[in-house]
Amino acid sequence: MRLLPSSFLFLLIVNAFSFCAAASIDLSPEEKAWISAHPNIVFGTDRNWRPMVIPNADGSLDGIEPELLARINKLTGLNIRIETGVWSEMIELAKRHEIDGLAVSAYHKPREQWASFSDITYRMHKYLFVRRSEVEHFTSINT
C-alpha cells in the first residue's frame, strides 16, 4: 500500500466537510479519476479512543470519526475505512506506508518527517470529571 497524496485527499475531505449537510457534492473530473484510482483508503487509529471510535462486538465501529467518514464516503464516493489497534502500532504502520494515514490524530513535529497534515477539521475540548468527594485527592493533573 502506498501513502496517498495528502494534498489531494485533503482537498476532497475539506470539500466534503463543506457540504456535510448537502445530499451530494459536485466533484471535478480529476477528483473522480483520483477516487477511481484509489478504491480503498485505510486510516489507522487507537481501538480505545472513545467517543471518537467505539468498537462493537461484531467488529463494526461507532463513534464520531466513523460517522464522519461514512458521510464523506457517501458524498464523495470514497471508500475510507478505519483500522483499529494499538496506537503506537498504527503509527508504525503509517510510517511504513502499510496504511494510508491516521484518523483522530493531531500535528506532532516529529511526524513531519513521514506525514503530511491537514488543517484542523474539528476541535474537541477535553475535560476531567470527578465526584465532588474525590476532589481533595487531586493536587495536580499529574496525581
Side-chain angles (χ1 to χ4, degrees):
M1 186 176 294
R2 64 191 176 288
L3 191 63
L4 300 174
S6 58
S7 59
F8 195 80
L9 182 59
F10 171 71
L11 290 175
L12 285 172
I13 290 174
V14 167
N15 197 16
F17 277 121
S18 300
F19 297 99
C20 272
S24 65
I25 59 173
D26 293 323
L27 298 173
S28 70
E30 293 82 10
E31 289 170 326
K32 290 176 183 178
W34 190 91
I35 290 170
S36 293
H38 300 88
N40 297 297
I41 300 167
V42 180
F43 290 157
T45 196
D46 191 278
R47 66 175 157 242
N48 295 312
W49 203 277
R50 296 172 179 258
M52 302 309 293
V53 177
I54 304 167
N56 297 311
D58 66 359
S60 64
L61 298 173
D62 285 323
I64 296 167
E65 197 72 7
E67 289 180 20
L68 182 62
L69 291 176
R71 182 69 176 148
I72 290 170
N73 286 342
K74 184 175 181 178
L75 289 172
T76 63
L78 286 163
N79 183 29
I80 303 171
R81 70 176 180 82
I82 297 175
E83 183 175 313
T84 62
V86 176
W87 181 243
S88 59
E89 293 172 6
M90 293 293 108
I91 291 171
E92 289 304 312
L93 289 172
K95 283 171 82 170
R96 293 191 307 262
H97 300 191
E98 294 178 31
I99 59 175
D100 298 304
L102 299 170
V104 195
S105 185
Y107 169 82
H108 290 279
K109 187 143 185 82
R111 293 185 196 155
E112 280 184 345
Q113 297 174 6
W114 55 270
S116 297
F117 298 89
S118 69
D119 289 335
I120 295 170
T121 53
Y122 54 87
R123 295 184 187 272
M124 288 190 54
H125 299 280
K126 296 179 182 179
Y127 297 94
L128 179 64
F129 294 92
V130 296
R131 291 183 187 89
R132 289 181 197 267
S133 61
E134 300 294 323
V135 171
E136 66 273 4
H137 299 289
F138 290 92
T139 55
S140 78
I141 196 70
N142 297 319
T143 60

PDB file of all heavy atoms in Angstrom, residues 59-93:
ATOM      1  N   GLY A  59     -17.334  -6.315  15.413  1.00  0.00           N
ATOM      2  CA  GLY A  59     -16.238  -5.798  14.612  1.00  0.00           C
ATOM      3  C   GLY A  59     -16.534  -4.466  13.933  1.00  0.00           C
ATOM      4  O   GLY A  59     -15.631  -3.824  13.402  1.00  0.00           O
ATOM      5  N   SER A  60     -17.796  -4.050  13.929  1.00  0.00           N
ATOM      6  CA  SER A  60     -18.135  -2.755  13.343  1.00  0.00           C
ATOM      7  C   SER A  60     -17.703  -1.642  14.302  1.00  0.00           C
ATOM      8  O   SER A  60     -17.373  -1.898  15.461  1.00  0.00           O
ATOM      9  CB  SER A  60     -19.631  -2.671  13.055  1.00  0.00           C
ATOM     10  OG  SER A  60     -20.366  -2.738  14.269  1.00  0.00           O
ATOM     11  N   LEU A  61     -17.717  -0.417  13.794  1.00  0.00           N
ATOM     12  CA  LEU A  61     -17.305   0.726  14.600  1.00  0.00           C
ATOM     13  C   LEU A  61     -18.411   1.755  14.677  1.00  0.00           C
ATOM     14  O   LEU A  61     -19.106   2.012  13.701  1.00  0.00           O
ATOM     15  CB  LEU A  61     -16.063   1.389  13.995  1.00  0.00           C
ATOM     16  CG  LEU A  61     -14.799   0.552  13.917  1.00  0.00           C
ATOM     17  CD1 LEU A  61     -13.717   1.302  13.144  1.00  0.00           C
ATOM     18  CD2 LEU A  61     -14.298   0.183  15.300  1.00  0.00           C
ATOM     19  N   ASP A  62     -18.559   2.356  15.822  1.00  0.00           N
ATOM     20  CA  ASP A  62     -19.414   3.511  16.036  1.00  0.00           C
ATOM     21  C   ASP A  62     -18.535   4.638  16.523  1.00  0.00           C
ATOM     22  O   ASP A  62     -17.347   4.445  16.776  1.00  0.00           O
ATOM     23  CB  ASP A  62     -20.501   3.213  17.081  1.00  0.00           C
ATOM     24  CG  ASP A  62     -21.611   2.332  16.549  1.00  0.00           C
ATOM     25  OD1 ASP A  62     -21.978   2.497  15.368  1.00  0.00           O
ATOM     26  OD2 ASP A  62     -22.113   1.481  17.304  1.00  0.00           O
ATOM     27  N   GLY A  63     -19.102   5.809  16.654  1.00  0.00           N
ATOM     28  CA  GLY A  63     -18.366   6.935  17.185  1.00  0.00           C
ATOM     29  C   GLY A  63     -18.326   8.095  16.211  1.00  0.00           C
ATOM     30  O   GLY A  63     -18.831   8.020  15.086  1.00  0.00           O
ATOM     31  N   ILE A  64     -17.728   9.162  16.652  1.00  0.00           N
ATOM     32  CA  ILE A  64     -17.694  10.401  15.882  1.00  0.00           C
ATOM     33  C   ILE A  64     -16.965  10.213  14.555  1.00  0.00           C
ATOM     34  O   ILE A  64     -17.461  10.577  13.493  1.00  0.00           O
ATOM     35  CB  ILE A  64     -17.050  11.526  16.719  1.00  0.00           C
ATOM     36  CG1 ILE A  64     -17.927  11.815  17.942  1.00  0.00           C
ATOM     37  CG2 ILE A  64     -16.821  12.775  15.884  1.00  0.00           C
ATOM     38  CD1 ILE A  64     -17.267  12.675  19.000  1.00  0.00           C
ATOM     39  N   GLU A  65     -15.768   9.643  14.594  1.00  0.00           N
ATOM     40  CA  GLU A  65     -14.963   9.525  13.375  1.00  0.00           C
ATOM     41  C   GLU A  65     -15.579   8.568  12.348  1.00  0.00           C
ATOM     42  O   GLU A  65     -15.660   8.918  11.169  1.00  0.00           O
ATOM     43  CB  GLU A  65     -13.537   9.103  13.734  1.00  0.00           C
ATOM     44  CG  GLU A  65     -12.551   9.342  12.634  1.00  0.00           C
ATOM     45  CD  GLU A  65     -12.218  10.821  12.403  1.00  0.00           C
ATOM     46  OE1 GLU A  65     -12.631  11.698  13.170  1.00  0.00           O
ATOM     47  OE2 GLU A  65     -11.521  11.087  11.407  1.00  0.00           O
ATOM     48  N   PRO A  66     -16.038   7.373  12.738  1.00  0.00           N
ATOM     49  CA  PRO A  66     -16.674   6.504  11.736  1.00  0.00           C
ATOM     50  C   PRO A  66     -17.910   7.147  11.091  1.00  0.00           C
ATOM     51  O   PRO A  66     -18.129   6.994   9.891  1.00  0.00           O
ATOM     52  CB  PRO A  66     -17.052   5.252  12.516  1.00  0.00           C
ATOM     53  CG  PRO A  66     -16.088   5.213  13.648  1.00  0.00           C
ATOM     54  CD  PRO A  66     -15.860   6.654  14.006  1.00  0.00           C
ATOM     55  N   GLU A  67     -18.694   7.880  11.873  1.00  0.00           N
ATOM     56  CA  GLU A  67     -19.874   8.536  11.309  1.00  0.00           C
ATOM     57  C   GLU A  67     -19.472   9.643  10.339  1.00  0.00           C
ATOM     58  O   GLU A  67     -20.065   9.793   9.270  1.00  0.00           O
ATOM     59  CB  GLU A  67     -20.749   9.095  12.430  1.00  0.00           C
ATOM     60  CG  GLU A  67     -21.451   8.009  13.220  1.00  0.00           C
ATOM     61  CD  GLU A  67     -22.328   8.556  14.332  1.00  0.00           C
ATOM     62  OE1 GLU A  67     -22.705   9.745  14.272  1.00  0.00           O
ATOM     63  OE2 GLU A  67     -22.636   7.786  15.255  1.00  0.00           O
ATOM     64  N   LEU A  68     -18.456  10.408  10.697  1.00  0.00           N
ATOM     65  CA  LEU A  68     -17.978  11.467   9.821  1.00  0.00           C
ATOM     66  C   LEU A  68     -17.423  10.898   8.516  1.00  0.00           C
ATOM     67  O   LEU A  68     -17.756  11.372   7.423  1.00  0.00           O
ATOM     68  CB  LEU A  68     -16.907  12.286  10.538  1.00  0.00           C
ATOM     69  CG  LEU A  68     -16.325  13.467   9.784  1.00  0.00           C
ATOM     70  CD1 LEU A  68     -17.400  14.494   9.463  1.00  0.00           C
ATOM     71  CD2 LEU A  68     -15.226  14.101  10.611  1.00  0.00           C
ATOM     72  N   LEU A  69     -16.604   9.860   8.613  1.00  0.00           N
ATOM     73  CA  LEU A  69     -16.043   9.253   7.407  1.00  0.00           C
ATOM     74  C   LEU A  69     -17.120   8.574   6.551  1.00  0.00           C
ATOM     75  O   LEU A  69     -17.040   8.587   5.326  1.00  0.00           O
ATOM     76  CB  LEU A  69     -14.929   8.274   7.762  1.00  0.00           C
ATOM     77  CG  LEU A  69     -13.662   8.929   8.325  1.00  0.00           C
ATOM     78  CD1 LEU A  69     -12.648   7.864   8.733  1.00  0.00           C
ATOM     79  CD2 LEU A  69     -13.061   9.914   7.353  1.00  0.00           C
ATOM     80  N   ALA A  70     -18.142   8.009   7.177  1.00  0.00           N
ATOM     81  CA  ALA A  70     -19.248   7.416   6.416  1.00  0.00           C
ATOM     82  C   ALA A  70     -19.948   8.492   5.589  1.00  0.00           C
ATOM     83  O   ALA A  70     -20.315   8.264   4.433  1.00  0.00           O
ATOM     84  CB  ALA A  70     -20.237   6.723   7.353  1.00  0.00           C
ATOM     85  N   ARG A  71     -20.111   9.661   6.174  1.00  0.00           N
ATOM     86  CA  ARG A  71     -20.748  10.766   5.440  1.00  0.00           C
ATOM     87  C   ARG A  71     -19.860  11.229   4.288  1.00  0.00           C
ATOM     88  O   ARG A  71     -20.334  11.465   3.183  1.00  0.00           O
ATOM     89  CB  ARG A  71     -21.044  11.926   6.403  1.00  0.00           C
ATOM     90  CG  ARG A  71     -21.735  13.089   5.754  1.00  0.00           C
ATOM     91  CD  ARG A  71     -23.153  12.752   5.349  1.00  0.00           C
ATOM     92  NE  ARG A  71     -23.788  13.949   4.823  1.00  0.00           N
ATOM     93  CZ  ARG A  71     -24.693  13.935   3.879  1.00  0.00           C
ATOM     94  NH1 ARG A  71     -25.099  12.794   3.375  1.00  0.00           N
ATOM     95  NH2 ARG A  71     -25.225  15.046   3.442  1.00  0.00           N
ATOM     96  N   ILE A  72     -18.553  11.348   4.543  1.00  0.00           N
ATOM     97  CA  ILE A  72     -17.622  11.730   3.482  1.00  0.00           C
ATOM     98  C   ILE A  72     -17.653  10.691   2.365  1.00  0.00           C
ATOM     99  O   ILE A  72     -17.686  11.036   1.184  1.00  0.00           O
ATOM    100  CB  ILE A  72     -16.198  11.908   4.046  1.00  0.00           C
ATOM    101  CG1 ILE A  72     -16.150  13.160   4.932  1.00  0.00           C
ATOM    102  CG2 ILE A  72     -15.164  11.981   2.923  1.00  0.00           C
ATOM    103  CD1 ILE A  72     -14.880  13.301   5.736  1.00  0.00           C
ATOM    104  N   ASN A  73     -17.640   9.412   2.734  1.00  0.00           N
ATOM    105  CA  ASN A  73     -17.709   8.346   1.725  1.00  0.00           C
ATOM    106  C   ASN A  73     -18.962   8.470   0.881  1.00  0.00           C
ATOM    107  O   ASN A  73     -18.919   8.346  -0.348  1.00  0.00           O
ATOM    108  CB  ASN A  73     -17.671   6.972   2.398  1.00  0.00           C
ATOM    109  CG  ASN A  73     -16.295   6.607   2.926  1.00  0.00           C
ATOM    110  OD1 ASN A  73     -15.287   7.182   2.550  1.00  0.00           O
ATOM    111  ND2 ASN A  73     -16.265   5.633   3.817  1.00  0.00           N
ATOM    112  N   LYS A  74     -20.088   8.719   1.535  1.00  0.00           N
ATOM    113  CA  LYS A  74     -21.353   8.823   0.808  1.00  0.00           C
ATOM    114  C   LYS A  74     -21.358  10.019  -0.143  1.00  0.00           C
ATOM    115  O   LYS A  74     -21.838   9.922  -1.276  1.00  0.00           O
ATOM    116  CB  LYS A  74     -22.513   8.934   1.798  1.00  0.00           C
ATOM    117  CG  LYS A  74     -23.868   8.944   1.149  1.00  0.00           C
ATOM    118  CD  LYS A  74     -24.976   8.936   2.174  1.00  0.00           C
ATOM    119  CE  LYS A  74     -26.320   8.920   1.479  1.00  0.00           C
ATOM    120  NZ  LYS A  74     -27.416   8.855   2.442  1.00  0.00           N
ATOM    121  N   LEU A  75     -20.822  11.129   0.299  1.00  0.00           N
ATOM    122  CA  LEU A  75     -20.825  12.339  -0.522  1.00  0.00           C
ATOM    123  C   LEU A  75     -19.852  12.279  -1.689  1.00  0.00           C
ATOM    124  O   LEU A  75     -20.101  12.866  -2.739  1.00  0.00           O
ATOM    125  CB  LEU A  75     -20.491  13.565   0.335  1.00  0.00           C
ATOM    126  CG  LEU A  75     -21.560  14.020   1.313  1.00  0.00           C
ATOM    127  CD1 LEU A  75     -21.007  15.104   2.220  1.00  0.00           C
ATOM    128  CD2 LEU A  75     -22.792  14.518   0.572  1.00  0.00           C
ATOM    129  N   THR A  76     -18.725  11.605  -1.506  1.00  0.00           N
ATOM    130  CA  THR A  76     -17.649  11.663  -2.497  1.00  0.00           C
ATOM    131  C   THR A  76     -17.470  10.400  -3.315  1.00  0.00           C
ATOM    132  O   THR A  76     -16.838  10.438  -4.368  1.00  0.00           O
ATOM    133  CB  THR A  76     -16.304  11.946  -1.808  1.00  0.00           C
ATOM    134  OG1 THR A  76     -16.007  10.859  -0.917  1.00  0.00           O
ATOM    135  CG2 THR A  76     -16.318  13.261  -1.057  1.00  0.00           C
ATOM    136  N   GLY A  77     -17.984   9.276  -2.812  1.00  0.00           N
ATOM    137  CA  GLY A  77     -17.704   8.007  -3.472  1.00  0.00           C
ATOM    138  C   GLY A  77     -16.400   7.381  -3.008  1.00  0.00           C
ATOM    139  O   GLY A  77     -16.001   6.329  -3.492  1.00  0.00           O
ATOM    140  N   LEU A  78     -15.723   8.045  -2.072  1.00  0.00           N
ATOM    141  CA  LEU A  78     -14.519   7.461  -1.494  1.00  0.00           C
ATOM    142  C   LEU A  78     -14.888   6.208  -0.711  1.00  0.00           C
ATOM    143  O   LEU A  78     -16.043   6.008  -0.334  1.00  0.00           O
ATOM    144  CB  LEU A  78     -13.842   8.462  -0.545  1.00  0.00           C
ATOM    145  CG  LEU A  78     -13.095   9.623  -1.193  1.00  0.00           C
ATOM    146  CD1 LEU A  78     -12.845  10.732  -0.179  1.00  0.00           C
ATOM    147  CD2 LEU A  78     -11.782   9.137  -1.788  1.00  0.00           C
ATOM    148  N   ASN A  79     -13.903   5.370  -0.452  1.00  0.00           N
ATOM    149  CA  ASN A  79     -14.082   4.195   0.402  1.00  0.00           C
ATOM    150  C   ASN A  79     -13.003   4.241   1.480  1.00  0.00           C
ATOM    151  O   ASN A  79     -12.033   3.510   1.432  1.00  0.00           O
ATOM    152  CB  ASN A  79     -13.999   2.905  -0.405  1.00  0.00           C
ATOM    153  CG  ASN A  79     -14.248   1.696   0.465  1.00  0.00           C
ATOM    154  OD1 ASN A  79     -14.958   1.773   1.452  1.00  0.00           O
ATOM    155  ND2 ASN A  79     -13.636   0.581   0.119  1.00  0.00           N
ATOM    156  N   ILE A  80     -13.195   5.150   2.433  1.00  0.00           N
ATOM    157  CA  ILE A  80     -12.274   5.271   3.556  1.00  0.00           C
ATOM    158  C   ILE A  80     -12.788   4.369   4.669  1.00  0.00           C
ATOM    159  O   ILE A  80     -13.957   4.429   5.026  1.00  0.00           O
ATOM    160  CB  ILE A  80     -12.204   6.719   4.081  1.00  0.00           C
ATOM    161  CG1 ILE A  80     -11.796   7.681   2.971  1.00  0.00           C
ATOM    162  CG2 ILE A  80     -11.239   6.803   5.265  1.00  0.00           C
ATOM    163  CD1 ILE A  80     -11.911   9.155   3.366  1.00  0.00           C
ATOM    164  N   ARG A  81     -11.892   3.542   5.187  1.00  0.00           N
ATOM    165  CA  ARG A  81     -12.273   2.727   6.339  1.00  0.00           C
ATOM    166  C   ARG A  81     -11.230   2.902   7.430  1.00  0.00           C
ATOM    167  O   ARG A  81     -10.110   3.332   7.166  1.00  0.00           O
ATOM    168  CB  ARG A  81     -12.467   1.272   5.968  1.00  0.00           C
ATOM    169  CG  ARG A  81     -11.241   0.521   5.609  1.00  0.00           C
ATOM    170  CD  ARG A  81     -11.541  -0.965   5.334  1.00  0.00           C
ATOM    171  NE  ARG A  81     -10.340  -1.666   5.000  1.00  0.00           N
ATOM    172  CZ  ARG A  81      -9.464  -2.125   5.875  1.00  0.00           C
ATOM    173  NH1 ARG A  81      -9.663  -1.956   7.164  1.00  0.00           N
ATOM    174  NH2 ARG A  81      -8.370  -2.755   5.479  1.00  0.00           N
ATOM    175  N   ILE A  82     -11.633   2.589   8.639  1.00  0.00           N
ATOM    176  CA  ILE A  82     -10.755   2.728   9.796  1.00  0.00           C
ATOM    177  C   ILE A  82     -10.315   1.356  10.252  1.00  0.00           C
ATOM    178  O   ILE A  82     -11.133   0.447  10.409  1.00  0.00           O
ATOM    179  CB  ILE A  82     -11.470   3.457  10.948  1.00  0.00           C
ATOM    180  CG1 ILE A  82     -11.846   4.871  10.537  1.00  0.00           C
ATOM    181  CG2 ILE A  82     -10.592   3.473  12.197  1.00  0.00           C
ATOM    182  CD1 ILE A  82     -12.660   5.620  11.571  1.00  0.00           C
ATOM    183  N   GLU A  83      -9.020   1.227  10.467  1.00  0.00           N
ATOM    184  CA  GLU A  83      -8.451   0.026  11.075  1.00  0.00           C
ATOM    185  C   GLU A  83      -8.043   0.422  12.490  1.00  0.00           C
ATOM    186  O   GLU A  83      -7.370   1.435  12.685  1.00  0.00           O
ATOM    187  CB  GLU A  83      -7.241  -0.440  10.276  1.00  0.00           C
ATOM    188  CG  GLU A  83      -6.630  -1.713  10.779  1.00  0.00           C
ATOM    189  CD  GLU A  83      -5.504  -2.193   9.882  1.00  0.00           C
ATOM    190  OE1 GLU A  83      -5.699  -2.213   8.649  1.00  0.00           O
ATOM    191  OE2 GLU A  83      -4.432  -2.519  10.421  1.00  0.00           O
ATOM    192  N   THR A  84      -8.442  -0.378  13.482  1.00  0.00           N
ATOM    193  CA  THR A  84      -8.108  -0.054  14.863  1.00  0.00           C
ATOM    194  C   THR A  84      -7.048  -1.009  15.393  1.00  0.00           C
ATOM    195  O   THR A  84      -6.908  -2.136  14.930  1.00  0.00           O
ATOM    196  CB  THR A  84      -9.352  -0.121  15.771  1.00  0.00           C
ATOM    197  OG1 THR A  84      -9.871  -1.450  15.766  1.00  0.00           O
ATOM    198  CG2 THR A  84     -10.408   0.863  15.320  1.00  0.00           C
ATOM    199  N   GLY A  85      -6.325  -0.530  16.364  1.00  0.00           N
ATOM    200  CA  GLY A  85      -5.290  -1.329  17.014  1.00  0.00           C
ATOM    201  C   GLY A  85      -4.639  -0.518  18.107  1.00  0.00           C
ATOM    202  O   GLY A  85      -5.176   0.501  18.551  1.00  0.00           O
ATOM    203  N   VAL A  86      -3.470  -0.922  18.511  1.00  0.00           N
ATOM    204  CA  VAL A  86      -2.693  -0.178  19.496  1.00  0.00           C
ATOM    205  C   VAL A  86      -2.115   1.048  18.785  1.00  0.00           C
ATOM    206  O   VAL A  86      -1.555   0.929  17.696  1.00  0.00           O
ATOM    207  CB  VAL A  86      -1.574  -1.062  20.078  1.00  0.00           C
ATOM    208  CG1 VAL A  86      -0.685  -0.275  21.033  1.00  0.00           C
ATOM    209  CG2 VAL A  86      -2.172  -2.287  20.766  1.00  0.00           C
ATOM    210  N   TRP A  87      -2.266   2.227  19.394  1.00  0.00           N
ATOM    211  CA  TRP A  87      -1.888   3.471  18.743  1.00  0.00           C
ATOM    212  C   TRP A  87      -0.451   3.447  18.242  1.00  0.00           C
ATOM    213  O   TRP A  87      -0.179   3.829  17.103  1.00  0.00           O
ATOM    214  CB  TRP A  87      -2.131   4.652  19.683  1.00  0.00           C
ATOM    215  CG  TRP A  87      -1.801   5.980  19.083  1.00  0.00           C
ATOM    216  CD1 TRP A  87      -0.843   6.855  19.515  1.00  0.00           C
ATOM    217  CD2 TRP A  87      -2.406   6.592  17.936  1.00  0.00           C
ATOM    218  NE1 TRP A  87      -0.821   7.975  18.718  1.00  0.00           N
ATOM    219  CE2 TRP A  87      -1.781   7.835  17.742  1.00  0.00           C
ATOM    220  CE3 TRP A  87      -3.420   6.212  17.066  1.00  0.00           C
ATOM    221  CZ2 TRP A  87      -2.127   8.704  16.713  1.00  0.00           C
ATOM    222  CZ3 TRP A  87      -3.765   7.075  16.028  1.00  0.00           C
ATOM    223  CH2 TRP A  87      -3.126   8.305  15.865  1.00  0.00           C
ATOM    224  N   SER A  88       0.475   3.007  19.047  1.00  0.00           N
ATOM    225  CA  SER A  88       1.883   3.004  18.626  1.00  0.00           C
ATOM    226  C   SER A  88       2.088   2.098  17.410  1.00  0.00           C
ATOM    227  O   SER A  88       2.894   2.402  16.535  1.00  0.00           O
ATOM    228  CB  SER A  88       2.791   2.561  19.774  1.00  0.00           C
ATOM    229  OG  SER A  88       2.443   1.259  20.218  1.00  0.00           O
ATOM    230  N   GLU A  89       1.329   1.018  17.321  1.00  0.00           N
ATOM    231  CA  GLU A  89       1.418   0.137  16.153  1.00  0.00           C
ATOM    232  C   GLU A  89       0.799   0.792  14.923  1.00  0.00           C
ATOM    233  O   GLU A  89       1.293   0.621  13.807  1.00  0.00           O
ATOM    234  CB  GLU A  89       0.752  -1.201  16.452  1.00  0.00           C
ATOM    235  CG  GLU A  89       1.501  -2.009  17.499  1.00  0.00           C
ATOM    236  CD  GLU A  89       0.753  -3.255  17.945  1.00  0.00           C
ATOM    237  OE1 GLU A  89      -0.312  -3.583  17.362  1.00  0.00           O
ATOM    238  OE2 GLU A  89       1.238  -3.898  18.888  1.00  0.00           O
ATOM    239  N   MET A  90      -0.281   1.553  15.103  1.00  0.00           N
ATOM    240  CA  MET A  90      -0.898   2.261  13.983  1.00  0.00           C
ATOM    241  C   MET A  90       0.076   3.301  13.426  1.00  0.00           C
ATOM    242  O   MET A  90       0.182   3.471  12.203  1.00  0.00           O
ATOM    243  CB  MET A  90      -2.200   2.943  14.418  1.00  0.00           C
ATOM    244  CG  MET A  90      -3.318   1.989  14.803  1.00  0.00           C
ATOM    245  SD  MET A  90      -3.937   1.047  13.392  1.00  0.00           S
ATOM    246  CE  MET A  90      -3.280  -0.551  13.749  1.00  0.00           C
ATOM    247  N   ILE A  91       0.795   3.975  14.306  1.00  0.00           N
ATOM    248  CA  ILE A  91       1.789   4.953  13.856  1.00  0.00           C
ATOM    249  C   ILE A  91       2.860   4.263  13.027  1.00  0.00           C
ATOM    250  O   ILE A  91       3.240   4.751  11.955  1.00  0.00           O
ATOM    251  CB  ILE A  91       2.403   5.705  15.058  1.00  0.00           C
ATOM    252  CG1 ILE A  91       1.351   6.610  15.697  1.00  0.00           C
ATOM    253  CG2 ILE A  91       3.636   6.512  14.631  1.00  0.00           C
ATOM    254  CD1 ILE A  91       1.779   7.237  17.003  1.00  0.00           C
ATOM    255  N   GLU A  92       3.334   3.126  13.479  1.00  0.00           N
ATOM    256  CA  GLU A  92       4.367   2.391  12.739  1.00  0.00           C
ATOM    257  C   GLU A  92       3.845   1.916  11.380  1.00  0.00           C
ATOM    258  O   GLU A  92       4.565   1.963  10.385  1.00  0.00           O
ATOM    259  CB  GLU A  92       4.899   1.224  13.564  1.00  0.00           C
ATOM    260  CG  GLU A  92       5.745   1.652  14.746  1.00  0.00           C
ATOM    261  CD  GLU A  92       6.917   2.540  14.349  1.00  0.00           C
ATOM    262  OE1 GLU A  92       7.635   2.189  13.391  1.00  0.00           O
ATOM    263  OE2 GLU A  92       7.108   3.589  14.988  1.00  0.00           O
ATOM    264  N   LEU A  93       2.598   1.452  11.316  1.00  0.00           N
ATOM    265  CA  LEU A  93       2.004   1.039  10.036  1.00  0.00           C
ATOM    266  C   LEU A  93       1.950   2.215   9.064  1.00  0.00           C
ATOM    267  O   LEU A  93       2.245   2.061   7.873  1.00  0.00           O
ATOM    268  CB  LEU A  93       0.609   0.462  10.244  1.00  0.00           C
ATOM    269  CG  LEU A  93       0.525  -0.904  10.925  1.00  0.00           C
ATOM    270  CD1 LEU A  93      -0.934  -1.260  11.230  1.00  0.00           C
ATOM    271  CD2 LEU A  93       1.172  -1.973  10.065  1.00  0.00           C
TER     272      LEU A  93
END
